[in-house]
Amino acid sequence: MVNKIMYQKIQHFKRRGFTKADIVRETGLNKRTVFKYYDMSEKKYARYIEKVRYRTKIFEPYQSPILDLYQANDFQRLEKSAVYDYLEEKLGSLPGTERSFRSYISFLVETEQLKFNSNKRIYSPVAELPYGKQLQIDFGEYRTRRGLKLYIFAAVLSASRYKYAALQDRPFTTLDLINHLLDCFDYLGGIPEELVIDQDKVMVVSENRGDIIYTRDFKQFIEEMDLKMYVCRKSDPESKGKIENLIKFIKRNFLSIRDFENIKEAKERLLKWLNRRANGKISLATRRIPQEMFSEEKAYLRTLKNSIYRKDNLNARERRKANITGEISVNSCKYPVPLEYREREVDIYKTAERLFIYDIRSGEKIKEHAISPIPGSRIVNRARHHHQEHSQRELKEKLKKLFDLDSWSEFVDKNFRMYTRYFRDQYHDALKRFSQGIEREHLKQAIDLCLENRTYSMANLYDTYQYYQQEKELALPKVKIVSNLRDIPREKKEFQVEKRDIGVYRALVNASEARP
């Protein structure tokens, strides 16, 4: 509504021969307002004022809280939509529309019940983009009346003007930005094709004639999400006018007339404001409600993807059980876990390129693998085999110290070379069989025989040792073999010799002579 002084001013310019366009330039009023009152007579304007005054009376019961609100903000010129939204939040449903409320505020100003300095706000047209194409992001800062410093992250889809915002009470880091972007993608239910940013230090290290150097984590994130980047030049607000308007809108419409006890309260009220006001009311740019337009744009967003920067979120993990060999199955591929997790459950988090495995009790990461592109493949844990080999060598050296025998040390070396894959079993078998009650002499004999016959298992060595032990325990008394009668003791030399008749010998001789 134009007050009487402004109406008279428009008519004064008209009488002087000014065109409507000239009056718009001279007064700074909206051209539709000038066109409306340019042809309006004084009588018609008076009837219009009476009608407006009658219509605005429905907000008279709210005059006191309205004036109190402006007084709390030092009578600064506030966004009328912000005042309407604040009253709606505090007092519930209001009796009139925002248009009627604006007229009532104008009525308070015209009747000088409300006085403040007017500020001029300039709008400029922006190019429209297709659905799903672009998301603009930016940062801001604001200090509440109680002194709480708030750091603002804001994002807006260029096509539907659907908005997202978040607050924190410390300056942003690159990881903070990434986490806010992931939350934003969850809020949108998808990922846009392009991200519009400025040269903020949490994202960009430097620019060298168009060659943008990103921070390490941000570069990895945009590659992981397959995001195209549009980096605005310094002092180039036209490239991201939508997001700069959103930052101003958050400050003026949400923050300017609210105060908070703590950051938690600020976050909770911001999310409600986003749904109710930022995305629930008609946008001046599109003349449509962002939520309605977003219902159309959402179909054009790309599917959400897991990120390595989301891996610490417990809700995003899945449960798997390792088999008896210490492997878990993920997308038809087998991935090893530490041996102590055999036949136990673990948590996993997978992205397009990496697999993270976590202990379900402590939540700590216990293993990480690259995702195999070949279905049905088995991933070999070379680190595990290296660790096993290293520990087995330690077991070998420990086993060698069991007996201070050169032959024993040689046998253990040969056993290790022959049974490398099963040396842990050989080690435990040796401890079980040779730890106590071993006679060194018989062990030495058994080792020598095994080395001579090239049988290097601990079981064969023990069987051989048992043979020598049994030979000692079960053998009969030994008979000494002598080669000379003089070796026989004297008391043993007496023995009887059989005597034959001489006739026997004569018969043998006569028989030999009779032969031809």
Side-chain angles (χ1 to χ4, degrees):
M1 181 182 72
V2 175
N3 58 37
K4 189 172 183 179
I5 295 176
M6 186 58 66
Y7 169 76
Q8 292 174 346
K9 195 172 185 179
I10 292 173
Q11 295 299 317
H12 172 73
F13 283 120
K14 176 182 177 181
R15 287 192 294 270
R16 290 178 58 189
F18 280 65
T19 64
K20 296 176 182 178
D22 293 336
I23 297 175
V24 169
R25 285 192 295 269
E26 188 69 24
T27 62
L29 293 172
N30 186 281
K31 66 179 182 180
R32 287 180 296 179
T33 301
V34 173
F35 287 8
K36 178 179 179 180
Y37 295 103
Y38 187 85
D39 297 323
M40 187 178 288
S41 65
E42 289 191 9
K43 290 184 178 181
K44 191 174 181 180
Y45 177 73
R47 290 195 299 270
Y48 170 73
I49 292 297
E50 285 297 323
K51 181 180 178 181
V52 169
R53 286 178 176 174
Y54 174 78
R55 187 177 63 207
T56 56
K57 288 182 180 179
I58 58 176
F59 283 99
E60 283 188 359
Y62 298 87
Q63 178 177 335
S64 179
I66 291 173
L67 295 178
D68 290 343
L69 181 60
Y70 276 97
Q71 183 179 7
N73 287 273
D74 299 325
F75 292 101
Q76 297 180 34
R77 181 176 289 275
L78 304 174
E79 293 287 336
K80 296 183 180 67
S81 60
V83 177
Y84 184 90
D85 178 67
Y86 182 80
L87 293 174
E88 193 175 40
E89 178 185 305
K90 290 294 184 181
L91 305 176
S93 179
L94 299 178
T97 64
E98 284 190 42
R99 185 173 181 178
S100 299
F101 182 76
R102 292 191 185 96
S103 298
Y104 183 68
I105 296 296
S106 299
F107 168 73
L108 293 178
V109 173
E110 182 183 354
T111 58
E112 297 185 351
Q113 298 179 71
L114 175 62
K115 296 181 180 180
F116 49 77
N117 296 323
S118 60
N119 294 321
K120 186 187 295 184
R121 185 173 182 181
I122 301 175
Y123 295 90
S124 58
V126 293
E128 297 300 329
L129 291 170
Y131 282 157
K133 172 68 176 178
Q134 187 182 88
L135 179 76
Q136 296 187 6
I137 67 170
D138 202 0
F139 309 99
E141 297 179 13
Y142 191 88
R143 188 177 294 277
T144 65
R145 292 192 295 274
R146 296 186 182 182
L148 179 63
K149 184 71 175 287
L150 297 175
Y151 295 86
I152 309 166
F153 168 83
V156 58
L157 287 169
S158 295
S160 64
R161 304 305 199 276
Y162 195 71
K163 305 166 187 69
Y164 174 79
L167 300 172
Q168 64 182 56
D169 54 2
R170 65 179 188 279
F172 289 100
T173 65
T174 303
L175 293 180
D176 288 333
L177 164 65
I178 291 172
N179 288 328
H180 285 309
L181 279 172
L182 288 171
D183 291 340
C184 176
F185 295 159
D186 288 341
Y187 186 81
L188 300 177
I191 304 174
E193 178 182 337
E194 182 180 69
L195 206 61
V196 177
I197 64 172
D198 59 15
Q199 297 183 33
D200 192 280
K201 64 181 180 180
V202 301
M203 297 175 286
V204 176
V205 175
S206 64
E207 177 190 13
N208 183 13
R209 299 177 181 178
D211 185 15
I212 306 298
I213 302 175
Y214 300 102
T215 58
R216 180 180 61 84
D217 284 321
F218 189 66
K219 182 176 186 298
Q220 183 172 339
F221 176 74
I222 61 178
E223 289 175 352
E224 179 185 52
M225 294 289 109
D226 191 24
L227 285 167
K228 295 180 181 178
M229 301 302 299
Y230 184 94
V231 182
C232 302
R233 291 177 177 271
K234 294 180 179 180
S235 303
D236 183 22
E238 292 80 5
S239 300
K240 53 187 184 72
K242 300 179 183 69
I243 189 60
E244 291 194 344
N245 287 337
L246 176 56
I247 293 291
K248 294 176 184 177
F249 187 46
I250 293 171
K251 290 180 178 180
R252 294 175 181 175
N253 192 292
F254 176 71
L255 295 174
S256 64
I257 53 178
R258 290 174 174 84
D259 210 353
F260 312 100
E261 293 284 346
N262 49 54
I263 185 66
K264 181 180 179 181
E265 180 191 357
K267 289 179 178 180
E268 291 174 352
R269 295 177 69 178
L270 175 63
L271 287 177
K272 294 178 181 178
W273 176 84
L274 279 173
N275 295 328
R276 181 184 65 253
R277 160 59 51 183
N279 294 320
K281 301 294 183 180
I282 295 176
S283 168
L284 294 177
T286 62
R287 300 297 178 185
R288 293 183 60 187
I289 297 175
Q291 283 179 347
E292 295 178 354
M293 291 189 68
F294 177 69
S295 64
E296 302 170 7
E297 181 169 17
K298 187 174 181 179
Y300 293 86
L301 296 175
R302 294 181 295 142
T303 305
L304 288 171
K305 300 170 65 176
N306 279 344
S307 168
I308 61 171
Y309 295 97
R310 204 199 293 266
K311 64 182 184 296
D312 294 328
N313 186 344
L314 298 179
N315 294 329
R317 298 179 184 177
E318 302 175 29
R319 188 64 53 86
R320 289 289 192 280
K321 185 175 182 179
N323 59 23
I324 193 171
T325 62
E327 293 177 320
I328 59 173
S329 178
V330 179
N331 297 339
S332 302
C333 294
K334 300 290 186 181
Y335 296 88
V337 299
L339 291 175
E340 59 267 28
Y341 289 89
R342 286 181 293 188
E343 297 188 292
R344 287 174 54 186
E345 288 188 330
V346 295
D347 281 341
I348 68 165
Y349 179 84
K350 62 180 184 295
T351 68
E353 298 179 351
R354 306 296 297 176
L355 172 67
F356 303 89
I357 305 173
Y358 299 86
D359 185 293
I360 61 175
R361 294 179 178 83
S362 66
E364 296 180 355
K365 186 177 74 173
I366 57 177
K367 203 65 186 174
E368 178 180 343
H369 298 288
I371 292 291
S372 173
I374 306 173
S377 59
R378 173 174 270 103
I379 309 304
V380 178
N381 189 348
R382 299 186 183 278
R384 177 199 287 183
H385 291 300
H386 176 75
H387 174 72
Q388 287 180 342
E389 182 178 346
H390 179 70
S391 62
Q392 286 177 348
R393 290 185 182 279
E394 292 179 348
L395 293 179
K396 181 184 74 170
E397 296 303 319
K398 185 177 180 180
L399 187 58
K400 285 169 121 181
K401 297 177 181 179
L402 193 59
F403 300 105
D404 186 18
L405 294 171
D406 292 340
S407 58
W408 169 257
S409 180
E410 180 184 356
F411 181 83
V412 172
D413 284 335
K414 293 184 181 297
N415 175 271
F416 179 79
R417 284 196 293 270
M418 177 167 284
Y419 301 101
T420 302
R421 290 182 59 191
Y422 306 98
F423 184 73
R424 188 178 297 275
D425 296 329
Q426 291 287 315
Y427 169 81
H428 290 296
D429 193 28
L431 291 183
K432 178 181 178 181
R433 298 176 187 273
F434 298 106
S435 292
Q436 56 185 357
I438 300 298
E439 294 189 12
R440 290 172 58 90
E441 185 61 30
H442 293 159
L443 177 62
K444 187 175 183 305
Q445 289 176 322
I447 292 173
D448 291 341
L449 185 60
C450 287
L451 290 175
E452 181 181 350
N453 291 278
R454 299 181 181 178
T455 58
Y456 304 127
S457 76
M458 291 296 173
N460 285 344
L461 177 62
Y462 187 72
D463 289 343
T464 307
Y465 171 78
Q466 287 285 84
Y467 167 77
Y468 284 108
Q469 280 289 92
Q470 291 175 4
E471 185 181 64
K472 174 187 175 183
E473 297 172 359
L474 303 177
L476 296 174
K478 295 184 179 179
V479 178
K480 186 176 181 181
I481 302 175
V482 296
S483 58
N484 196 319
L485 291 177
R486 288 176 294 184
D487 295 334
I488 301 175
R490 183 169 297 177
E491 62 274 15
K492 300 293 184 179
K493 287 184 180 181
E494 296 180 0
F495 56 87
Q496 297 293 326
V497 178
E498 183 180 357
K499 294 182 180 181
R500 293 185 179 181
D501 186 83
I502 192 63
V504 176
Y505 298 103
R506 284 199 183 107
L508 291 173
V509 172
N510 291 335
S512 62
E513 290 178 350
R515 290 176 185 168

